[in-house]
């Protein structure tokens, strides 16, 4: 009896080790997706500017997915960090007058990430107090304060005219930001991929699992010793830094920052992207961003003014009819395939 | 003997209702203590105050001699206090394996690590698996918790609490809602817990209570009504009158004889 | 100074009429309706159409705006909103933002993007000289109408049977249901009435502030502030919060200190900062009980 339990236990442990490794394993489609994304730069060089926008949007959405999908914080003002990152990188590049060291793009990203992490950390304490509704209001309020600041401090931000002359130096001192945006796209995509891999690592780490636990049941999470608020502070800070890098990429690759980076629309758009792609899936951010841009291209090309209407309609339909977003549908489809074609 | 868990004049009010009324209580290491009382007596509220889910209106809570009254739930958990909930509080989207793995990694203070994949430490995984197997969850450890049958979920609720090897374990009606046939299993699990772990069991089934408990507190209207050894409480005429009812208590005068009912 | 107070009062009263419906429905169903501003915008455009296209007076437009937006509110509540009460806050937020966007684009399509402002009725033009201060007649009218409405609301809530049921439902909808109160019906009625009031406020305000398709977004934050500061359990809380906000907003636009050689309008900062501070230190609102549940 005792012996049997012991051997069972040993094989159980082996199974469990495999189980954990399997959960975090890189899968074929993932690798294909990233290779494909890089291939796009060479297959359709003329659309590189568009791809660049998608990559930036995907990173921005990824940052919200960390906050919303993993930490469960509903934010109406996530655009604040995107805008802050854009201004941080823009101002640094401007200070360096387009030459290294200050205008170095990598340094710009780092600077934006640090500024946003610091501001995100401080505001996380405000955001984490209270219910969902209070969080909505605080995040929206903070975003509006940022917008006001950027608007009123025209001497620093350029106000409504935008921040001009923020062209960064060459990437790693070697690659120029070309006119067609191919290097810009490769640059943004690389940053996206690196940060994605890092996010993926975090999601499968004890820290990431504890975030999902908090989102699932914060009462139980506290009872097993998870410092709920501290973990959420961490997640919010991380999300802010990621959003800041996305904003910085936009500033660097377009060499321009306008008040538009802080617009409410950005916060709403990115929410749509994450929900459309699938909350708490990471890849939903990438898929959602691509779908969003594609949709924008088609619908806004037809009726540029009424894009907003279609956007609203998609939001409404999404809530009423689709649960789990694209990744949810794909996951269900994949599970069906396995059941039909796979083992008994 | 020093108390591992104690309270002093603990009070908790909800508006006009006093759910915990001036409770002074202490629990020695290795206790086998039952907390009983009619519905709405304030048993769950008391556990919530002990575990930090609720803050008291007044009074103090001590854990291992330290005043933990202002400590949040997670700090008390880290200091060795575990609990189960009357209504399951589980992570529906997790598997039992992930759940226990998480509880253990938090107990080992590794919960904030973001650079390491979960489940890389063989010792921790082994501990999780053996806990699950001990509690009869070995065969479902890779299934989604939300899809498990209720009895299995109830076992997992207990597994989460015992996995970190707490010094004090508070069990709020662990067998609540479990079908008659499976209640035995839960009691066996409780009986097999390490002797040095102090246990507090809330339970309405007097049969189970008297088989388990060496000491008993009776809570009525939020206040401690009677305290003592199991046989003292069983013989106490006030308890007979107010709570237990004459007929039922007779079965339990000899706790050792067990299942008379 | 007095003029600022007076303008602020008028503005604040108007804000109250605009926001009170949202506050009550939020307290009742814990439902986050970010599209509330769209109803106010609809009311404003009802006034614009009636007055500019058909030459009707504002006095006719006000009741019409109320009735029409209330009807739209009732329709939407029964067909769409009712499906969202048990969904998560995230879904409620997405859904109502979606509705807002659709409303904005629709108005843009039919009415154009440019701001519209309606004429004040002849009888209410000009100022009322009162010794040292001169008060704008239309604003006096706005204050009077809103004051009457507030009193009527307060009486309706405290004296009528519907009012007491509503209060019971806001206090604890579960218990109210247990007592046999039809919370769903109360909610539907309240929602329609609140939307109607927002429409009414939009029409009333369309002669003070211009109205354009961006209105629902611009005012969303104001509504949220009213609720954040005022709480959702009474209507006195949102009322006081509205007045405070109105005065602060108007004052903030006048008071522009110089910082580092630049004139800076601080209105926005002050208001948003106050809101964030209130939410941090008194999450239940300055004047009320908890926001949400
Ligand atoms: N959060 C709360 N708000 C208001 N009243 C509460 C709250 N929690 C508990 N109560 C009240 O406090 C009293 C004690 O409740 P408690 O759940 O502690 O009783 P109990 O002894 O655990 O009962 P049971 O045996 O039914 O589980 C009850 O009257 C209950 O209604
Ligand atoms: Mg209980």
């Amino acid at each position: 009896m005792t012996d049997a339990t012991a051997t069972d236990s040993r094989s159980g442990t082996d199974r469990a080790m495999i189980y954990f490794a399997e959960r975090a394993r890189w899968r074929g489609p993932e690798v294909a997706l990233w290779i494909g994304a890089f291939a796009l730069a060479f297959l359709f060089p003329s659309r590189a500017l568009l791809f660049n926008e998608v990559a930036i949007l995907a990173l921005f959405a990824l940052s919200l997915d960390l906050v919303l999908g993993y930490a469960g914080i509903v934010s109406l003002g996530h655009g604040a960090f995107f805008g802050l990152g854009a201004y941080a990188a823009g101002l640094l590049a401007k200070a360096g007058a387009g030459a290294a060291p200050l205008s170095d793009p990598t340094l710009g990203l780092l600077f934006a990430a640090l500024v946003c992490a610091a501001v995100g950390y401080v505001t996380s304490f405000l955001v984490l107090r209270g219910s969902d509704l209070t969080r909505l209001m605080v995040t929206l309020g903070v975003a509006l304060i940022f917008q006001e600041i950027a608007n009123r401090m025209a001497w620093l931000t350029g106000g409504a005219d935008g921040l001009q002359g923020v062209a960064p130096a060459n990437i790693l001192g070697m690659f120029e930001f070309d006119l067609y945006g191919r290097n810009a796209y490769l640059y943004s995509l690389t940053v996206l991929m690196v940060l994605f891999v890092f996010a993926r690592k975090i999601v499968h780490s004890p820290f990431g699992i504890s975030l999902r636990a908090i989102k699932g049941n914060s009462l139980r999470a506290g009872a097993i010793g998870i410092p709920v608020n501290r973990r959420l502070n961490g997640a919010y800070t991380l999300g802010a830094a990621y959003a800041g890098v996305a904003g910085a990429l936009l500033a660097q690759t377009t060499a321009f920052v306008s008040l538009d980076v802080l617009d409410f629309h950005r916060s709403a758009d990115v929410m749509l992207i994450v929900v459309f792609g699938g909350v708490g899936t990471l890849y939903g951010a990438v898929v959602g961003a691509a779908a969003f841009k594609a949709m924008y291209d088609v619908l806004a090309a037809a009726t540029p003014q009424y894009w907003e209407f279609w956007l609203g309609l998609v939001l409404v339909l999404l809530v009423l009819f689709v649960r789990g977003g694209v990744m949810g549908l794909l996951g269900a489809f994949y599970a069906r395939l396995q059941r039909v074609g796979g083992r008994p | 003997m020093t108390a591992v868990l104690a309270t002093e004049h603990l009070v908790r009010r909800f508006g006009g209702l006093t759910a915990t009324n001036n409770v002074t209580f202490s629990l020695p290491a290795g206790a086998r203590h039952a907390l009983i009382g009619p519905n709405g007596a304030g048993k769950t509220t008391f556990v919530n105050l002990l575990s930090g889910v609720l803050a008291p209106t007044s009074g103090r809570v001590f854990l291992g001699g330290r005043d933990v009254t202002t400590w949040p739930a997670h700090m008390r958990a880290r200091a060795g206090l575990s609990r189960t909930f009357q209504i399951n509080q589980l992570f529906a989207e997790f598997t039992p394996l992930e759940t226990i793995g998480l509880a253990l990694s938090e107990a080992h203070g590794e919960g904030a690590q973001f650079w390491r994949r979960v489940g890389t430490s063989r010792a921790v995984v082994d501990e999780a698996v053996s806990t699950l197997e001990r509690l009869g969850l070995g065969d479902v450890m890779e299934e989604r918790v939300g899809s498990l049958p209720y009895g299995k979920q109830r076992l997992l609720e207990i597994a989460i609490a015992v996995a970190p090897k707490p010094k004090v374990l508070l069990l709020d009606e662990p067998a609540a809602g479990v079908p008659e046939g499976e209640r035995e299993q839960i009691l066996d699990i409780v009986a097999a817990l390490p002797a040095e772990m102090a246990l507090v069991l809330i339970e309405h089934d007097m049969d189970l209570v008297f088989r388990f408990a060496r000491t008993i507190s009776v809570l009525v209207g939020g206040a401690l009504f009677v305290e003592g050894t199991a046989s003292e409480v069983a013989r106490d005429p006030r308890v007979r009158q107010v709570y237990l009812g004459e007929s039922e208590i007779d079965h339990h005068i000899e706790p050792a004889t067990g299942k008379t009912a | 100074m007095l003029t600022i107070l007076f303008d602020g009062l008028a503005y604040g009263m108007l804000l109250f009429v605009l926001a009170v419906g949202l506050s009550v429905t939020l307290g009742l169903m814990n439902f986050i309706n970010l599209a509330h501003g769209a109803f106010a915008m609809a009311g404003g455009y009802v006034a614009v159409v009636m007055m500019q296209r058909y030459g009707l007076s504002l006095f006719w437009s006000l009741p019409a705006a109320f009735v029409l937006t209330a009807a739209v509110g009732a329709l939407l509540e029964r067909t769409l909103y009712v499906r969202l009460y048990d969904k998560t806050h995230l879904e409620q937020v997405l859904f109502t933002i979606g509705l807002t966007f659709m409303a904005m684009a629709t108005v843009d399509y039919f009415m154009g993007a440019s701001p519209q402002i309606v004429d004040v009725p002849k009888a209410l033009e000009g100022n009322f000289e009162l010794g040292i201060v001169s008060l704008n007649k239309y604003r006096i009218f706005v204050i009077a109408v809103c004051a009457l409405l507030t009193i009527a609301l307060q009486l309706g809530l405290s004296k009528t049977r519907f009012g007491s049921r509503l209060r019971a439902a806001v206090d604890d909808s579960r218990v109210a249901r247990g007592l046999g109160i039809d919370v769903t019906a109360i909610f539907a009625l309240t929602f329609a009435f609140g939307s109607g009031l927002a429409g009414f406020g939009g029409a009333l305000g369309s002669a003070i502030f211009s109205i354009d398709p961006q209105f629902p977004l611009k005012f969303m934050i104001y509504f949220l502030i009213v609720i954040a500061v005022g709480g959702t359990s009474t209507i006195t809380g949102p009322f006081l919060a509205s007045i405070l906000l109105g005065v602060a907003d108007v004052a903030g636009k006048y008071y522009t200190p110089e910082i580092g050689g630049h004139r800076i309008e601080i209105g926005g900062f002050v208001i948003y900062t106050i809101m964030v501070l209130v939410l941090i230190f008194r999450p239940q609102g300055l004047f009320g009980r908890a926001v949400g549940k």
Side-chain angles (χ1 to χ4, degrees):
Chain A
M1 173 70 204
T2 344
D3 265 342
T5 322
T7 41
D8 262 9
S9 165
R10 226 171 291 125
S11 68
T13 305
D14 288 335
R15 262 197 302 141
M17 296 291 291
I18 293 168
Y19 166 84
F20 279 120
E22 185 62 20
R23 295 220 69 169
R25 190 173 59 84
W26 281 87
R27 278 151 232 278
E30 291 181 81
V31 181
L33 179 89
W34 289 107
I35 294 176
F38 277 97
L40 284 178
F42 304 96
L43 292 176
F44 307 98
S46 60
R47 321 272 344 236
L49 284 172
L50 179 73
F51 297 149
N52 181 47
E53 284 178 46
V54 174
I56 293 172
L57 205 52
L59 181 58
F60 185 28
L62 180 67
S63 78
L64 183 67
D65 198 27
L66 289 173
V67 168
L68 176 68
Y70 289 91
I73 302 168
V74 182
S75 168
L76 261 190
H78 201 56
F81 298 110
F82 186 83
L84 183 64
Y87 276 111
L91 287 169
L92 189 72
K94 198 175 174 187
L102 276 189
S103 294
D104 181 71
T106 320
L107 185 72
L109 296 185
L110 228 69
F111 180 64
L114 279 179
V115 169
C116 289
V119 175
Y121 182 69
V122 172
T123 50
S124 73
F125 289 89
L126 318 184
V127 170
L128 292 183
R129 296 189 59 128
S131 60
D132 270 358
L133 184 64
T134 341
R135 287 176 183 180
L136 285 181
M137 294 196 263
V138 174
T139 49
L140 182 62
V142 168
L144 285 167
I145 291 175
F146 279 27
Q147 209 175 353
E148 285 283 323
I149 294 176
N151 194 13
R152 305 283 177 229
M153 306 219 302
W155 49 276
L156 182 67
T157 63
D161 297 334
L163 194 62
Q164 312 273 356
V166 299
N170 290 352
I171 305 159
L172 301 175
M174 289 185 285
F175 308 104
E176 200 182 344
F177 282 101
D178 57 314
L179 221 53
Y180 311 102
R182 200 191 66 180
N183 282 352
Y185 171 55
L186 289 174
Y187 170 61
S188 297
L189 185 62
T190 309
V191 173
L192 169 67
M193 193 181 72
V194 168
L195 290 183
F196 189 98
V197 171
F198 186 58
R200 197 181 179 288
K201 208 169 165 53
I202 290 179
V203 161
H204 290 109
S205 74
F207 176 77
I209 305 278
S210 74
L211 290 180
R212 276 176 54 215
I214 292 168
K215 189 185 175 207
N217 187 338
S218 64
L219 181 64
R220 169 52 82 191
I224 58 174
I226 299 177
V228 172
N229 277 346
R230 215 182 315 148
R231 295 282 159 82
L232 292 183
N233 287 336
Y236 195 77
T237 306
L238 184 73
Y242 267 52
V245 173
L249 283 177
L250 184 75
Q252 293 177 344
T253 55
T254 59
F256 181 64
V257 186
S258 72
L259 280 178
D260 170 65
V261 293
L262 284 162
D263 200 84
F264 173 74
H265 261 279
R266 292 215 184 249
S267 300
D269 288 353
V270 76
M271 239 180 179
L272 168 80
I273 290 171
V274 171
V275 174
F276 182 80
V279 177
T281 60
L282 296 188
Y283 278 101
V286 180
V287 174
F292 182 84
K293 269 288 170 211
M295 194 172 81
Y296 182 84
D297 254 27
V298 174
L299 294 177
T303 49
Q305 264 175 289
Y306 311 118
W307 155 242
E308 206 167 50
F309 181 86
W310 302 113
L311 189 66
L313 188 66
V314 170
L315 277 168
V316 166
L317 295 179
L318 206 59
V319 172
L320 288 180
F321 301 111
V322 188
R323 288 213 131 208
V326 173
M327 292 306 286
L329 292 178
L330 280 178
F333 179 68
Y334 189 67
R336 275 267 291 278
L337 270 190
Q338 283 206 322
R339 237 177 297 137
V340 174
R343 290 143 282 172
Chain B
M1 204 186 313
T2 60
V4 282
L5 180 70
T7 66
E8 267 177 17
H9 306 293
L10 206 60
V11 176
R12 170 70 203 207
R13 295 197 186 88
F14 294 112
L17 177 95
T18 306
T20 303
N21 191 359
N22 199 18
V23 174
T24 299
F25 169 88
S26 105
L27 192 74
R32 291 291 179 272
H33 188 83
L35 184 61
I36 62 174
N39 283 68
K43 304 180 294 292
T44 297
T45 304
F46 185 57
V47 169
N48 284 341
L49 291 171
L50 293 176
S51 59
V53 170
L54 287 173
T57 309
S58 65
R60 293 194 289 170
V61 179
F62 298 89
L63 192 57
R66 268 180 303 178
D67 187 340
V68 299
T69 313
T70 56
W71 288 21
H74 74 265
M75 284 177 64
R76 300 190 198 192
R78 289 177 167 195
L81 178 108
S82 251
R83 67 167 294 183
T84 68
F85 290 85
Q86 185 169 352
I87 299 165
N88 282 344
Q89 300 292 338
L90 300 169
F91 308 118
E93 304 302 326
F94 281 31
T95 60
L97 189 55
E98 276 181 306
T99 307
I100 301 302
L102 173 70
L104 286 173
S105 80
E106 292 297 337
H108 293 300
E110 295 166 354
Q113 296 183 352
F114 57 85
W115 54 89
R116 190 176 60 77
R117 179 170 69 71
V118 76
T120 41
S121 150
R122 193 171 177 96
V124 171
V125 174
D126 193 48
E127 205 179 333
V129 170
S130 62
T131 305
L132 285 166
E133 285 177 344
R134 195 150 41 84
L135 273 87
L137 290 164
D139 47 339
V140 294
M141 68 184 184
E142 291 176 18
E143 275 166 44
R144 189 177 160 274
V145 169
S147 322
L148 293 178
Y150 180 79
K152 293 282 183 197
Q153 292 190 3
R154 207 61 194 150
L155 286 171
L156 183 61
E157 177 77 23
I158 298 171
I160 300 177
V162 301
K165 304 201 171 66
K167 295 193 190 76
V168 186
L169 174 62
L170 312 174
L171 297 151
D172 193 352
E173 301 196 25
V178 175
E180 198 60 44
E182 296 171 35
R183 296 172 70 90
E184 282 301 312
Q185 187 188 7
I186 288 182
L187 197 75
D188 290 345
I189 286 166
V190 173
L193 288 172
E196 66 280 5
M197 198 185 282
L199 300 184
V200 175
L201 174 76
I202 297 177
E203 178 56 58
H204 284 291
D205 183 338
M206 285 308 123
D207 196 32
L208 295 189
V209 166
F210 282 98
R211 275 165 60 196
F212 161 81
R214 290 200 291 264
T215 52
I216 296 180
S217 307
V218 186
L219 210 56
V220 177
L224 270 186
F225 183 65
V226 171
E227 271 184 296
T229 63
S231 47
E232 277 167 16
V233 170
R235 283 194 205 93
D236 192 301
R238 294 170 299 172
V239 177
R240 290 175 172 229
Q241 256 181 11
V242 174
Y243 175 58
L244 293 169
E246 299 279 341
S247 57
E248 198 182 348
I249 201 93
D250 290 335
H251 297 298
H252 302 290
I253 288 181
E254 306 278 339
T257 55
K259 347 176 177 176
T260 344
Chain C
M1 181 63 216
L2 268 179
T3 327
I4 295 179
L5 262 182
F6 172 75
D7 282 1
L9 186 67
Y11 188 40
M13 298 281 254
L14 201 53
L15 270 179
F16 172 69
V17 172
L18 285 168
V20 66
L22 181 60
S23 151
V24 176
T25 48
L26 182 70
L28 196 56
M29 280 301 208
N30 200 13
F31 180 81
I32 300 178
N33 180 20
L34 293 181
H36 190 73
F39 292 99
M41 174 180 70
Y45 275 100
V46 168
V48 168
V49 170
M50 288 183 69
M51 295 173 69
Q52 291 184 352
R53 301 248 164 108
Y54 301 104
L56 290 165
S57 135
L58 183 73
F59 299 119
W60 286 111
S61 313
L62 292 178
F66 176 85
V67 172
L68 282 176
T69 43
V72 173
L75 185 73
L76 284 180
E77 201 275 335
R78 281 294 89 191
T79 52
L80 291 178
Y81 279 81
V82 72
R83 306 169 64 168
L84 286 157
Y85 296 145
D86 50 359
K87 299 221 170 171
T88 62
H89 281 151
L90 172 64
E91 286 170 307
Q92 296 175 354
V93 163
L94 290 169
F95 181 83
T96 53
I97 287 183
L99 280 188
T100 309
F101 283 172
M102 288 169 76
M104 288 162 60
T106 310
V107 164
D108 192 338
Y109 181 77
F110 288 108
M111 305 295 301
S114 56
Q116 309 268 356
I117 187 154
V118 302
D119 294 328
V120 169
K122 279 269 179 298
L124 298 175
E125 268 174 19
N127 286 352
F128 201 72
E129 303 299 335
L130 203 94
I132 42 164
V133 286
S134 75
L135 303 177
N136 179 297
K137 281 188 193 161
Y138 186 72
R139 289 197 161 75
I140 298 182
F141 173 71
V142 168
I143 293 180
V145 169
C146 293
L148 281 179
L149 264 177
T150 309
I151 293 169
L153 276 179
Q154 186 65 48
L155 285 180
L157 273 180
S158 57
K159 293 284 189 296
T160 64
R161 208 166 120 80
F162 181 81
S164 58
R165 287 169 165 234
L166 175 59
R167 273 182 295 130
V170 171
D171 258 358
D172 193 330
S173 56
R174 210 164 36 87
V175 171
R177 261 183 234 280
L179 293 172
I181 295 176
D182 187 348
V183 177
T184 320
I186 288 189
F187 186 76
L189 268 175
T190 313
F191 189 92
F193 192 77
S195 309
L197 277 181
F200 183 87
L204 196 62
S206 60
I208 292 187
F209 40 74
S210 62
I211 191 150
D212 64 69
Q214 296 296 318
F215 181 89
L217 282 190
K218 274 194 263 176
F219 271 75
M220 183 162 84
I221 186 67
Y222 283 90
F223 297 155
L224 291 177
I225 293 173
V226 167
I227 289 166
V229 177
T232 57
S233 54
T234 60
I235 64 167
T236 355
F239 179 75
L240 293 175
S242 303
I243 303 288
L244 199 70
L245 179 60
V247 173
D249 198 37
V250 173
K253 294 221 165 81
Y254 281 85
Y255 180 64
T256 55
E258 248 182 53
I259 300 175
H262 303 273
R263 281 225 157 269
I264 299 206
E265 196 185 290
I266 55 162
F269 293 122
V270 173
I271 291 169
Y272 305 142
T273 312
I274 289 179
M275 176 186 89
V276 169
L277 289 180
V278 167
L279 285 170
I280 293 161
F281 293 108
R282 278 191 61 100
Q284 71 277 41
L286 266 192
F287 309 111
R289 226 185 29 190
V291 174
K293 262 169 214 164

